[in-house]
Amino acid sequence: EAGVVQSPRYKIIEKKQPVAFWCNPISGHNTLYWYLQNLGQGPELLIRYENEEAVDDSQLPKDRFSAERLKGVDSTLKIQPAELGDSAVYLCASSSPGLAGGLKDTQYFGPGTRLTVL
Amino acid sequence: GEDVEQSLFLSVREGDSSVINCTYTDSSSTYLYWYKQEPGAGLQLLTYIFSNMDMKQDQRLTVLLNKKDKHLSLRIADTQTGDSAIYFCAEFYYGGSQGNLIFGKGTKLSVKP
């Protein structure tokens, strides 16, 4: 079974430029999460989707960050414009509703996208 | 708010046992997890424990949960150089109508040959 897929793995941009990250969750997982991981820290939730609905976006800086999951499968996280402080790893995770096997709510992570803003 | 604390560093010799400790704040946590992160990689789920369990063993890994003290530990037996990584403790709790995963800052395990 394929895991969570993210692309690109690395991205280097200049400040004020836009950037987008893509995530494809594990098949059958209807919950998708985007996390921000700063250096030396644990992941922090940015947004959580149940199917195509964003059910928790309270930690998403909405002035510059946006996300979508139009068909309830893959998702895109965008930053526009990027700032120096946005340099971090952006992790995507997905979890199962527990109906088709798999421990309910257990999150499986992708490899992440490492963003460097110059 | 909810908080998960871990010591930041642990160094052991190859073949020894490693014990990584974690404390959490929410007594209503349903699951507690251990994730492993190798350099440049995402988080790999290692193991989990239900909050109504005291212990769980999975090959070289033993998880102990002291719910009274809100203390979780991960013991790695016969630690190998390939175990060198950052280990994150995480609690899953329900805040309002939603569940959330709260991570510690991670413990960097260094295994010396």
Side-chain angles (χ1 to χ4, degrees), chain A residues 9-10 33 35 37 40-43 45 48 55-56 91 103-112 114, chain B residues 8 31 33 35 37 40-45 48 50 88 92 94 98-106:
Chain A
R9 290 296 314 278
Y10 304 92
Y33 313 77
Y35 285 88
Q37 186 179 22
Q41 303 291 319
L45 182 69
R48 168 183 165 177
V55 296
D56 184 356
L91 294 165
L103 182 66
K104 183 178 182 299
D105 295 326
T106 293
Q107 297 181 27
Y108 297 88
F109 285 79
R114 181 175 297 275
Chain B
L8 296 182
Y31 305 112
Y33 297 89
Y35 285 87
Q37 187 174 38
L43 274 69
Q44 172 195 352
L45 177 65
Y48 61 89
F50 291 101
F88 289 95
F92 185 89
Y94 282 95
Q98 300 173 13
N100 284 308
L101 201 56
I102 304 298
F103 288 87
K105 292 185 178 181

Side-chain angles (χ1 to χ4, degrees), chain A residues 1-74:
Chain A
E1 179 184 281
V4 177
V5 179
Q6 289 188 248
S7 69
R9 290 296 314 278
Y10 304 92
K11 189 74 177 178
I12 300 174
I13 61 171
E14 293 189 345
K15 63 180 180 183
K16 300 185 182 178
Q17 295 301 305
V19 65
F21 315 124
W22 177 81
C23 172
N24 187 260
I26 293 172
S27 178
H29 284 194
N30 64 335
T31 308
L32 183 146
Y33 313 77
W34 283 103
Y35 285 88
L36 166 68
Q37 186 179 22
N38 286 305
L39 188 65
Q41 303 291 319
E44 298 175 358
L45 182 69
L46 287 172
I47 188 168
R48 168 183 165 177
Y49 281 93
E50 295 285 349
N51 299 305
E52 63 274 9
E53 182 183 358
V55 296
D56 184 356
D57 62 357
S58 56
Q59 301 304 311
L60 190 73
K62 298 181 184 63
D63 56 336
R64 298 183 300 107
F65 287 64
S66 64
E68 60 183 18
R69 194 185 184 199
L70 294 175
K71 296 183 180 179
V73 179
D74 55 353

